[in-house]
Amino acid sequence: MTIQTGLNQRQKAAVIVRLLLDDDQASGLSRLDSESQTLLAEEMAGMELIDRQTRDAIITEFCDRLESVGVTFPGDLDGTLAMLGAQLSEDSTDRLRRRAAVSGRGDPWPRIAALPAPAITALANTEAVEMVALMLSKLPVERASELFVALPRERARAVAQAMSMTAGVTPESLNRVGLILLQAAEALPRPAIPTPATDRMGAILNFATADLRDDVLSSLDSHDADFAGNVRKAIFIFAHIPARVLPRDIPRIIREVEQPVLVRALAAQGEAEAAAAEFILSNLSQRMADGLREERNDLGKLRASDIEEAMNEVVAAIRRLEEAGEITLILPQDED
C-alpha cells in the first residue's frame, strides 16, 4: 500500500469525512447534492493510507479555515426562507418561490410536499398520470394516501397502474419531473383568501350554539347541499371527540385545558356530549379519571351556557394542538 502525502483539496475533504465517520458525525453529508457526494466517494475509493503527520496537518488546516469563517448562509432558497422565518412577508416568500421554480434552482420535491392541499389536488387532477404517480411516490405516505383516495375513481386506477413505471426512474428524471410539477403549481392562481370557504364556515360554526349551528346547516342544505356537506366535514365539536381524536392524545389535550374548565366540559348532558366526556375519562389513568369524576359530581347544577362554553374551550385547545402539529385528528368519514 502507498502512503499518500501531497493531497489536493478534494482528497483533504475526504480525509475529514473519514475522520467524522469514526465519530458518527457525518449526518450532514445528506445535505450535499448528488454530484458532490459522488465526487467525494470516488476520492475515498482511490485513497489508501495517510500518514499521521499529513492527517494532523489536514486537521489543523481545516480548523484554521473554520476559525476564519465569520458568517455562514444556508446556500439555498429553502434554507434561507427557513432562516428568515416570519421576517419576510407572505407575498415576498411567494414571489421568491415562484422565481426559484422558474429558474429550476434547488430540490423541487420538499417544496412540492409543502404545497397547500388545493395546489396538490389540482396537480393530481390535471397532470399526466405518470407524473402524478411519481408525485405520490415522493409525498409522505399519509398525505399521498389522502390525495389518492380523493381522486376520481377512473383517474385513481390509471395512477395506480402508472405506479409500476416509477421503479426505474433516474434521479435526473425525477428532478426534472419535480421541477415541471413545481412550475405548474407555482403558475396556479393564488386565492386572495387562502382558507377554503367550507373550512372557514366550519370553523365559525364550531363555536356557535348548537341550535344556531343546526339552523344554519339546515338552511345551507336547502340552498347548496354539496357546500353544506363539506361544511359539516369541516366542523369539529365536542361530540366528535371519540370519532376524531386518537386515544393516546387525550392526556396531551387535557394538559392544555385548565382543570375547572375541563371539569365543567365533562358535565355535558347531551347523549353524544356525555359519550365524548366518558371517552376522555376512559383514556386517562384510573386515579386521574376518578378525581375528575369526583370534582364533576361536586359541581351541582350548572347552566347549559357554562357547559357549552367549557366544551368550546376544549375544542379550541384541540384545534391549537392540531395546528401546531402536536396531534393529528382522524379524517371524518363520508356518510353513505
Side-chain angles (χ1 to χ4, degrees), residues 130 134 161-169:
E130 295 82 4
L134 286 171
Q161 292 170 3
M163 290 289 285
S164 64
M165 304 166 58
T166 63
V169 66

Side-chain angles (χ1 to χ4, degrees), residues 225-244:
D226 289 339
F227 181 72
N230 287 324
V231 169
R232 281 191 169 87
K233 290 180 183 178
I235 291 173
F236 175 75
I237 57 177
F238 191 81
H240 295 160
I241 288 176
R244 301 284 308 278

Side-chain angles (χ1 to χ4, degrees), residues 56-134:
D56 292 345
I58 292 171
I59 293 173
T60 300
E61 180 183 342
F62 179 69
C63 291
D64 289 342
R65 284 177 176 269
L66 283 180
E67 289 178 0
S68 67
V69 172
V71 64
T72 62
F73 291 88
D76 58 46
L77 177 64
D78 293 320
T80 300
L81 292 177
M83 180 181 69
L84 291 173
Q87 302 302 316
L88 287 179
S89 69
E90 201 170 306
D91 183 61
S92 296
T93 301
D94 181 60
R95 192 174 303 172
L96 284 167
R97 289 196 183 280
R98 284 174 180 259
R99 287 181 180 177
V102 171
S103 66
R105 296 195 305 270
D107 182 0
W109 289 107
R111 273 180 268 162
I112 291 173
L115 288 172
I120 291 279
T121 302
L123 292 178
N125 281 303
T126 56
E127 296 297 326
V129 293
E130 295 82 4
M131 297 173 70
V132 176
L134 286 171

Side-chain angles (χ1 to χ4, degrees), residues 175-212:
N175 189 69
R176 283 198 298 272
V177 168
L179 287 172
I180 293 170
L181 288 172
L182 185 59
Q183 289 168 4
E186 295 296 342
L188 293 172
R190 294 292 195 272
I193 303 175
T195 308
T198 52
D199 289 354
R200 295 198 306 277
M201 193 68 249
I204 292 168
L205 291 178
N206 278 338
F207 303 104
T209 58
D211 59 336
L212 174 59

Side-chain angles (χ1 to χ4, degrees), residues 241-319:
I241 288 176
R244 301 284 308 278
V245 174
L246 294 170
R248 67 166 184 258
D249 290 330
I250 292 297
R252 175 66 189 91
I253 290 167
I254 68 164
R255 291 198 298 272
E256 193 76 10
V257 182
E258 293 183 5
Q259 189 154 320
V261 173
L262 177 63
V263 173
R264 289 200 302 274
L266 294 174
Q269 299 298 313
E271 182 180 348
E273 290 77 10
E278 190 55 38
F279 176 81
I280 292 172
L281 291 167
S282 65
N283 286 289
L284 300 174
S285 69
Q286 188 67 48
R287 181 180 177 183
M288 181 177 291
D290 289 344
L292 289 170
R293 286 190 178 97
E294 204 171 305
E295 288 188 53
R296 180 180 63 182
N297 294 338
D298 291 340
L299 285 176
K301 186 171 180 59
L302 294 173
R303 291 183 302 176
S305 59
D306 289 337
I307 295 175
E308 188 155 17
E309 182 182 346
M311 290 191 297
N312 284 341
E313 288 197 40
V314 174
V315 169
I318 293 171
R319 284 296 196 187

